[in-house]
């Protein structure tokens, strides 16, 4: 059934007047780049959970040794190889100080007449594993953050100069990068440790000698992408110098990429430090890091698994949380990921 509009009387139609002042009104508030990124990252539950995990671990790395009743370096041989015992949880049948001795489960705290608690147990020298685990986490985080910051500064400066000036400058700088990239990192680390005394400084230098190459390549590619775009050409036409163009136009546009790459650099540095310490090329006794603690626990995993368990859990949580947070930041900063 068709409707003939001509037969409908004119009185049936209402005259609708449109207010011209509201015709182009913006219904949603304008958001900056960072506000929009924060709104998008809040929707990523994995990234938010990773932030809470990282904040908790970082706080515990500094507060944990202070709240523990035992010092990380004090050796009490009579308290050696004790399993974890936590007040309150012992009544639930967990963390009750019960260990295996000669194939039988016995309360090692009672047997050794220990009247205190060790929340993560003790190692073969009677040192408190709770304090040692968090102090080791502190050292690993320190190495990772320092190495990541140095990599970011060198990589951004090197890649930015190479990409922005181009030509012969770019050719020479990229040939240097290719030479360094062809040298295995482990060889550089071993050479560094032969020249320098093993420690935090040697590990940081060894990681940063070649760690900045990835950042420089990413920054160079982004600078090549933006330096010939219209807004940069307009700024140069208006008389802006190289410093202003880089700081006001190019750098803000690649800042998201720099942050994302830095977030992925931190877990890589943590794992590399743990690997070096595990194979004996990192920190030396009595200094502790997650790698040295895992190495100590690996040797007695059949008899004292708690020595390996807690540093491994902390290292795993750090690796997973940083990678999930990096994924969340990548999605938040990428304009192609907008709904």
């Amino acid at each position: 059934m068709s409707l003939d509009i001509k037969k409908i009387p004119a009185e049936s139609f209402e005259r609708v007047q449109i207010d011209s002042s509201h015709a182009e009104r913006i219904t949603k508030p304008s958001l900056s780049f960072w506000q929009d990124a924060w709104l998008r990252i809040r929707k990523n539950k994995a990234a938010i959970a990773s932030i809470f995990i990282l904040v908790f671990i970082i706080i515990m790395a500094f507060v944990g040794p202070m709240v523990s009743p035992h010092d990380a370096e004090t050796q009490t041989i009579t308290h050696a190889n004790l399993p974890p015992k936590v007040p309150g949880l012992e009544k639930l049948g967990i963390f009750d100080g019960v260990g295996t001795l000669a194939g039988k489960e016995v309360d090692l705290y009672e047997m050794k007449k220990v009247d205190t608690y060790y929340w993560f147990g003790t190692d073969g020298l009677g040192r408190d594993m709770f304090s040692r685990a968090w102090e080791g986490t502190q050292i690993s985080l320190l190495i990772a953050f320092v190495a990541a910051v140095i990599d970011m500064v060198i990589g951004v400066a090197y890649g930015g100069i190479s990409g922005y000036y181009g030509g012969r400058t770019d050719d020479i700088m990229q040939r240097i990068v290719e030479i360094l990239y062809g040298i295995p990192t482990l060889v550089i680390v071993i050479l560094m440790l032969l020249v320098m005394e093993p420690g935090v400084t040697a590990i940081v230098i060894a990681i940063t000698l070649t760690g900045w190459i990835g950042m420089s390549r990413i920054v160079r590619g982004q600078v090549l992408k933006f330096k010939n775009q219209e807004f940069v050409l307009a700024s140069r036409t208006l008389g802006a110098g190289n410093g202003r163009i880089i700081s006001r136009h190019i750098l803000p546009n690649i800042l998201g990429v720099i942050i994302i790459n830095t977030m992925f650099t931190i877990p890589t540095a943590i794992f590399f430090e743990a690997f070096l310490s595990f194979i004996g090329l990192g920190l030396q006794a009595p200094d502790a890091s997650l790698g040295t603690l895992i190495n100590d626990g690996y040797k007695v995993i059949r008899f004292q698994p708690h020595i390996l368990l807690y540093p491994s859990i902390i290292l795993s949580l750090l690796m997973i949380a940083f990678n999930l947070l990096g994924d969340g930041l990548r999605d938040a900063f990428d304009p192609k990921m907008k709904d």
Side-chain angles (χ1 to χ4, degrees), residues 230-257:
E230 289 79 3
F231 64 92
V232 175
L233 295 176
S235 180
R236 186 178 289 113
T237 303
L238 292 173
N242 292 330
R244 182 177 178 82
I245 292 174
I246 293 173
S247 62
R248 298 295 298 274
H249 299 289
I250 295 180
L251 190 59
N253 282 282
I254 66 174
L255 193 58
V257 176

Side-chain angles (χ1 to χ4, degrees), residues 27-48:
T27 57
K28 292 185 178 180
S30 60
L31 298 175
S32 67
F33 173 78
W34 298 105
Q35 290 173 330
D36 182 59
W38 170 243
L39 289 176
R40 278 190 281 164
I41 200 173
R42 282 198 310 180
K43 299 177 182 178
N44 192 325
K45 296 180 180 178
I48 296 299

Side-chain angles (χ1 to χ4, degrees), residues 7-64:
K7 296 181 180 180
I8 300 176
E11 293 79 7
S12 301
F13 295 95
E14 286 186 18
R15 184 179 297 274
V16 179
Q17 295 190 6
I18 300 176
D19 188 356
S20 60
S21 63
H22 298 283
E24 297 181 359
R25 185 177 60 181
I26 300 175
T27 57
K28 292 185 178 180
S30 60
L31 298 175
S32 67
F33 173 78
W34 298 105
Q35 290 173 330
D36 182 59
W38 170 243
L39 289 176
R40 278 190 281 164
I41 200 173
R42 282 198 310 180
K43 299 177 182 178
N44 192 325
K45 296 180 180 178
I48 296 299
S50 299
I51 292 174
F52 282 108
I53 291 172
L54 290 174
V55 170
F56 172 76
I57 291 178
I58 292 172
I59 291 174
M60 286 302 299
F62 292 93
V63 177

